[in-house]
């Protein structure tokens, strides 16, 4: 049975690649825009690929060093005769490579789809929407197909769940730096372009006179496409890794039912996403929000039905199905909550817009307040999902409660193919809007791309909330995987299978880890935001220099073009300089806590890291999305429209929110996953070598 299901998983992965190829061919076959659209679009494509090449060159060296360390020390020193180290090192490199490939595929199609969507906007909204959505769906299909294929292949070759952790660590570590680096790049350019263009000069968002405008569009691709693709690739792989580690420990030598369930449910999730993507189209209302939401609901319903049928036919446990359904349902609810706090049709955005009439201080105060309010429903949702899955599966026997939580995470991430498609749609249509404005395609095309962009901003807020919530359940499951790994090692050393059953916070070693772990997400966020701050100041100085020294630039004299490359270079160099310290800080902190306090301290560290990380990630993601759509709500003509005092205050709020929602916020969930995986991989070392 297990082999048949794994072959089914490979077949579904291949089907996803076929769907991705068909979508890519369709997007590429759409009519091209005028010469100016094509010229600017190719400029954006070259800039994105150049940055990605530089970033991957640095990350390749990092991956090589880490692979050598894994080869030497994990799971045990190689000189003690451990042959598993070779498998772990190779799995790590494969995971990192697949994660990098996910980003590259996303960039390749997004930088074509933006031009096609811009061109289609001249004829109507339906084909412009399809060009943006199907461009994003190429990445959705490729990312999830690659992650499922990678996990299945590694498991079939090794039948070792720890090797899956190595594969997941490769994906997570690369995603951590890719998301951080892309986030710093994109928000450096976005902030600089907004502050000088909108506030100082009062020129439109994508005015070609602004030297930072091309860097801003490049940033959308390297941050929101490549970065988020690597992030969700990592979350999906990590959820499967946690479920497989726990499931394999529960399976007997005569049955692999739990592992079979994991692969079956993951495969049906991808199949549901393939069908859901195929149903996405504009209805009679020409409402892009409705089109995006309806395809998501189709995918969700299909997954629930297909997994129920599989449970009945293949004799899986209905309790395990219920745990997956709980995760799926809570993921949907958290998406709705994120939508309420960030959608420009809802009251929070309207209240913050009204507050902006009194100045930027009130924009910030109200936005921060709503951001914090948005945290409670999402945190309660994650807590309820974990508790409900735990209680539903606990009667199945010892260890099944944590397996239930891991399957809840798998259920929540089951529709990740559709989520990535929706998420990548956002930056594609944002770029399309910029191309329309820079190429002067007219008010009709601008109105259409504004509508598509507004839907993209809303859906990005929803997908970020979903991604963070999914990471929350995943890392709770990874905490269970950590305990499983520790107990397996302890049993091999004669300490017993129940060496670690929980973490007592009254134990000073656990409490030490708890306090340190709680502080790490805040420090990590501060380092990333300060990186954006420093880099944006350098770019603003460059923009000022160009406006002062290039004659006719500010006046828009025909033939006078800014030095776009200078701004792209500042964003790229600064991002590559700033991305390494924050990631290293999180990794080194984990190792120090483990070597000082051992596995008990690591338990506290992970618990604190999870709780504070989720809180900060949700707060920053939702408050940033709220400020962004407040600005767009005013720009639509409300409360004085563009150029009004309310608009200037909202631009300040959006500027503060940019590194919140696109740099620090979504990077935190990757940071949590990375330290959880390091802890599991180092569990043997921490158990046998620590100060206390």
């Amino acid at each position: 049975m297990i082999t048949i299901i794994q072959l089914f998983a490979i077949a579904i992965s291949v089907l996803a690649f076929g769907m991705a190829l068909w979508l890519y061919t369709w997007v590429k076959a759409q009519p091209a825009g005028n010469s100016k659209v094509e010229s600017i679009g190719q400029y954006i494509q070259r800039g994105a690929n150049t940055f990605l090449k530089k970033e991957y060159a640095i990350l390749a060296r990092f991956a090589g060093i880490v692979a050598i360390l894994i080869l030497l020390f994990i799971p045990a020193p190689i000189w003690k005769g451990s042959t598993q180290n070779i498998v772990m090192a190779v799995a790590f490199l494969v995971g990192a490579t697949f994660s990098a490939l996910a980003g590259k595929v996303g960039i390749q199609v997004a930088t074509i789809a933006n031009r096609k969507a811009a061109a289609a906007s001249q004829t109507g909204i339906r084909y412009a929407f399809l060009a943006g959505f199907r461009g994003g769906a190429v990445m959705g299909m490729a990312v999830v197909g690659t992650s499922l294929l990678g996990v299945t292949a590694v498991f079939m070759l090794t039948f070792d769940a720890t090797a899956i952790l190595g594969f997941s660590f490769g994906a997570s570590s690369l995603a951590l730096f890719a998301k951080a680096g892309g986030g710093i790049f994109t928000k450096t350019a976005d902030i600089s372009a907004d502050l000088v263009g909108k506030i100082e000069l009062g020129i439109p968002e994508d005015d070609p006179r602004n030297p930072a405008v091309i860097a801003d569009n490049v940033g959308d691709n390297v941050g929101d496409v490549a970065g988020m693709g690597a992030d969700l690739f990592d979350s999906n792989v990590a959820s499967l890794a946690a479920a497989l580690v726990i499931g394999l420990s529960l399976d007997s030598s005569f049955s692999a039912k739990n592992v079979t369930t994991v692969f079956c449910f993951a495969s049906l999730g991808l199949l549901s996403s393939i069908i859901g993507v195929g149903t996405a189209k504009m209805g009679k209302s020409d409402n892009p929000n409705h089109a995006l939401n309806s395809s998501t609901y189709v995918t969700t319903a299909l997954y629930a039905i297909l997994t129920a049928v599989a449970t009945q036919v293949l004799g899986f446990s209905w309790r395990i199905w219920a745990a997956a359904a709980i995760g799926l349902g809570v993921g949907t609810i958290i998406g709705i909550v994120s939508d309420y706090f960030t959608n420009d049709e809802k009251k929070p955005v309207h209240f913050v817009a009204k507050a902006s009439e009194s100045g930027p201080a009130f924009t910030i105060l109200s936005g921060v307040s709503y951001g914090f309010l948005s945290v409670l429903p999402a945190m309660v949702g994650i807590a309820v999902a974990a508790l409900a899955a735990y209680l539903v599966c606990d009667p199945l026997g010892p260890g099944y409660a944590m397996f239930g939580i891991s399957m809840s995470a798998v259920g929540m991430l089951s529709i990740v193919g559709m989520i990535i498609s929706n998420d990548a749609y956002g930056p594609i249509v944002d770029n399309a809007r910029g191309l329309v404005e820079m190429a002067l395609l007219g008010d009709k095309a601008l109105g259409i791309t504004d509508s598509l962009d507004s839907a993209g901003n809303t859906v990005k807020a929803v997908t970020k909330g979903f991604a963070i919530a999914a990471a929350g359940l995943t890392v709770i499951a990874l905490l269970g995987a950590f305990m499983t790994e520790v107990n397996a090692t302890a049993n091999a050393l004669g300490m017993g299978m129940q060496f670690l059953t929980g973490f007592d916070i009254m134990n000073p070693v656990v409490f030490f880890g708890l306090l340190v772990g709680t502080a790490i997400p805040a420090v990590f966020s501060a380092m990333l935001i300060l990186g954006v701050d420093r880099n944006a100041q350098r770019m603003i100085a460059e923009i000022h220099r160009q406006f002062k020294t290039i004659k006719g630039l500010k006046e828009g004299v025909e033939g006078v073009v800014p030095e776009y490359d200078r701004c792209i270079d500042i964003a790229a160099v600064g991002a590559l300089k700033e991305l390494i310290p924050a990631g290293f800080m999180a990794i080194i902190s984990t190792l120090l806590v483990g070597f000082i306090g051992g596995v008990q301290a690591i338990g506290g560290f992970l618990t604190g890291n999870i709780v504070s990380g989720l809180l900060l990630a949700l707060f920053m993601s939702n408050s940033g999305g709220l400020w962004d759509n407040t600005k767009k709500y005013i720009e639509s003509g409300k409360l004085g429209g563009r150029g009004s005092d309310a608009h200037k205050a909202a631009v300040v709020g959006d500027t503060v929110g940019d590194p919140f929602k696109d740099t620090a916020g979504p990077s935190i969930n990757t940071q949590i996953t990375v330290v959880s995986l390091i802890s599991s991989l180092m569990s043997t070392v921490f158990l046998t070598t620590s100060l206390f």
Side-chain angles (χ1 to χ4, degrees):
M1 174 65 75
I2 178 67
T3 304
I4 294 171
I5 295 298
Q6 286 173 332
L7 291 174
F8 175 68
I10 292 172
I12 295 296
S13 300
V14 172
L15 180 63
F17 296 145
M19 182 69 167
L21 181 61
W22 178 81
L23 291 168
Y24 177 75
T25 304
W26 185 91
V27 169
K28 203 168 181 182
Q30 297 310 295
N34 62 29
S35 59
K36 198 162 186 180
V37 168
E38 288 298 305
S39 174
I40 297 169
Q42 286 170 12
Y43 209 111
I44 293 168
Q45 187 175 49
R46 283 197 302 271
N49 282 321
T50 299
F51 172 74
L52 212 62
K53 186 177 179 181
K54 290 179 179 178
E55 183 181 54
Y56 284 178
I58 292 173
L59 296 183
R61 291 195 286 272
F62 162 78
I65 293 168
V66 173
I68 291 170
L69 292 174
I70 291 173
L71 180 66
L72 293 175
F73 300 111
I74 297 177
I78 196 167
W79 52 85
K80 292 187 177 179
S82 176
T83 56
Q84 195 179 14
N85 296 41
I86 299 171
V87 173
M88 293 292 291
V90 172
F92 169 84
L93 289 173
V94 172
T97 302
F98 277 25
S99 183
L101 189 61
K104 179 63 178 176
V105 168
I107 288 285
Q108 187 63 32
V109 70
T111 50
I112 294 173
N114 58 7
R115 308 201 296 267
K116 303 298 186 178
S121 67
Q122 293 179 281
T123 56
I125 194 169
R126 295 191 180 189
Y127 276 99
F129 167 79
L130 279 177
F133 177 78
R134 288 182 172 177
V138 173
M139 186 172 186
M141 298 296 96
V143 166
V144 186
T146 303
S147 63
L148 181 59
L149 179 65
V151 170
T152 306
V154 171
F155 192 81
M156 287 182 76
L157 290 171
T158 66
F159 205 70
D160 181 2
T162 307
I164 300 292
L165 289 175
F167 178 82
S168 182
F169 179 49
S172 298
S173 56
L174 191 117
L176 176 66
F177 292 112
K179 187 63 193 163
I184 292 170
F185 184 111
T186 184
K187 293 305 111 180
T188 293
D190 197 357
I191 288 172
S192 303
D194 278 359
L195 288 180
V196 179
K198 288 185 176 180
I199 292 184
E200 290 185 23
L201 302 177
I203 61 178
E205 182 171 350
D206 291 299
D207 194 302
R209 290 173 290 174
N210 193 329
V213 74
I214 297 290
D216 185 12
N217 284 289
V218 170
D220 288 337
N221 291 287
V222 298
D224 290 340
V225 177
M228 185 56 86
D231 179 13
L232 286 168
F233 177 90
D234 141 58
S235 293
N236 193 39
V237 171
S239 71
L240 294 175
L244 288 170
V245 167
I246 299 171
L248 192 62
S249 72
L250 297 173
D251 283 333
S252 68
S253 57
F254 304 104
S255 170
K257 184 160 283 189
N258 294 314
V259 169
T260 305
T261 305
V262 175
F263 281 114
C264 182
F265 279 28
S267 304
L268 292 175
L270 179 52
L271 179 60
S272 302
S273 292
I274 293 170
I275 297 170
V277 163
T279 65
K281 60 181 179 179
M282 298 288 283
K284 292 180 181 179
S285 64
D286 283 347
N287 185 331
N289 268 318
H290 177 74
L292 293 168
N293 290 336
S294 63
S295 56
T296 304
Y297 296 146
V298 166
T299 304
T300 303
L302 264 176
Y303 178 75
I305 294 167
L306 289 175
T307 50
V309 171
T311 298
Q312 178 65 36
V313 172
L314 300 177
F316 297 151
S317 168
W318 281 102
R319 289 182 178 272
I320 300 296
W321 176 87
I326 287 166
L328 182 65
V330 169
T332 304
I333 291 167
I334 290 171
I336 292 169
V337 169
S338 297
D339 178 70
Y340 175 76
F341 281 98
T342 58
N343 194 323
D344 59 9
E345 296 178 359
K346 309 295 184 184
K347 287 185 177 180
V349 167
H350 297 173
F351 286 145
V352 175
K354 185 67 178 172
S356 298
E357 291 186 305
S358 301
F362 295 98
T363 308
I364 303 301
L365 286 171
S366 56
V368 165
S369 301
Y370 279 115
F372 277 128
L373 283 172
S374 73
V375 167
L376 180 62
M379 292 288 276
V380 169
I382 296 168
V384 167
L387 179 61
Y390 187 99
L391 294 175
V392 164
C393 294
D394 191 44
L396 293 174
Y400 273 94
M402 284 306 298
F403 184 61
I405 294 175
S406 71
M407 287 304 297
S408 186
V410 170
M412 189 178 282
L413 278 160
S414 59
I415 60 168
V416 72
M418 177 58 70
I419 296 300
I420 294 174
S421 302
N422 285 352
D423 193 82
Y425 159 88
I428 289 171
V429 295
D430 188 9
N431 263 207
R433 188 209 174 279
L435 288 169
V436 165
E437 189 165 304
M438 285 186 278
L440 305 174
L441 296 186
D443 291 340
K444 177 188 174 183
L446 195 59
I448 286 172
T449 49
D450 273 336
S451 174
L452 296 175
D453 188 27
S454 177
N457 276 313
T458 300
V459 81
K460 273 201 298 181
V462 172
T463 55
K464 282 184 175 69
F466 177 92
I468 293 164
L473 272 181
T474 298
V475 292
I476 294 169
L478 284 171
L479 186 57
F482 168 71
M483 293 171 63
T484 300
E485 290 288 294
V486 170
N487 286 333
T489 302
N491 187 56
L493 296 174
M495 301 178 186
M497 271 300 292
Q498 297 302 311
F499 178 81
L500 203 60
T501 56
F503 307 102
D504 180 6
I505 64 167
M506 296 308 292
N507 180 337
V509 175
V510 175
F511 198 66
F512 155 75
L514 183 72
L515 291 178
V516 176
T518 301
I520 295 302
V523 176
F524 178 77
S525 301
M527 293 175 76
L528 293 182
I529 294 172
L530 282 170
V532 173
D533 185 346
R534 287 188 290 266
N535 219 23
Q537 290 188 46
R538 288 191 285 267
M539 187 176 289
I540 287 172
E542 171 60 22
I543 297 170
H544 286 156
R545 182 198 68 78
Q546 291 196 32
F547 275 123
K548 285 178 183 177
T549 60
I550 301 177
K551 291 181 180 180
L553 179 59
K554 189 181 292 187
E555 296 77 17
V557 174
E558 190 173 346
V560 177
V561 179
E563 297 171 5
Y564 295 123
D565 283 334
R566 295 291 295 271
C567 287
I568 293 173
D569 191 56
I570 287 171
V573 171
L576 296 174
K577 179 182 175 184
E578 301 285 357
L579 70 86
I580 298 294
F584 273 177
M585 181 278 302
I587 292 170
I588 291 169
S589 299
T590 309
L591 296 175
L592 286 174
V593 169
F595 284 123
I596 291 170
V599 293
Q600 292 286 350
I602 283 291
F605 177 88
L606 294 179
T607 304
N609 196 268
I610 290 166
V611 174
S612 73
L614 290 177
L615 187 148
L616 283 172
L618 287 163
F619 159 69
M620 288 194 283
S621 177
N622 287 341
S623 57
L626 172 64
W627 280 318
D628 192 353
N629 274 348
T630 296
K631 177 195 71 175
K632 284 184 164 51
Y633 174 74
I634 294 172
E635 286 177 347
S636 70
K638 307 294 192 300
L639 304 174
R642 295 175 187 269
S644 65
D645 288 340
H647 180 235
K648 290 177 181 177
V651 171
V652 173
D654 179 44
T655 302
V656 173
D658 273 340
F660 274 33
K661 68 180 173 63
D662 290 324
T663 307
S667 296
I668 290 176
N669 56 316
T670 312
Q671 176 265 312
I672 301 170
T673 306
V674 167
V675 299
S676 299
L677 287 165
I678 289 172
S679 300
S680 292
L681 292 171
M682 294 288 290
S683 57
T684 299
V685 180
F686 292 154
L687 181 64
T688 55
T689 310
S690 63
L691 189 60
F692 294 100

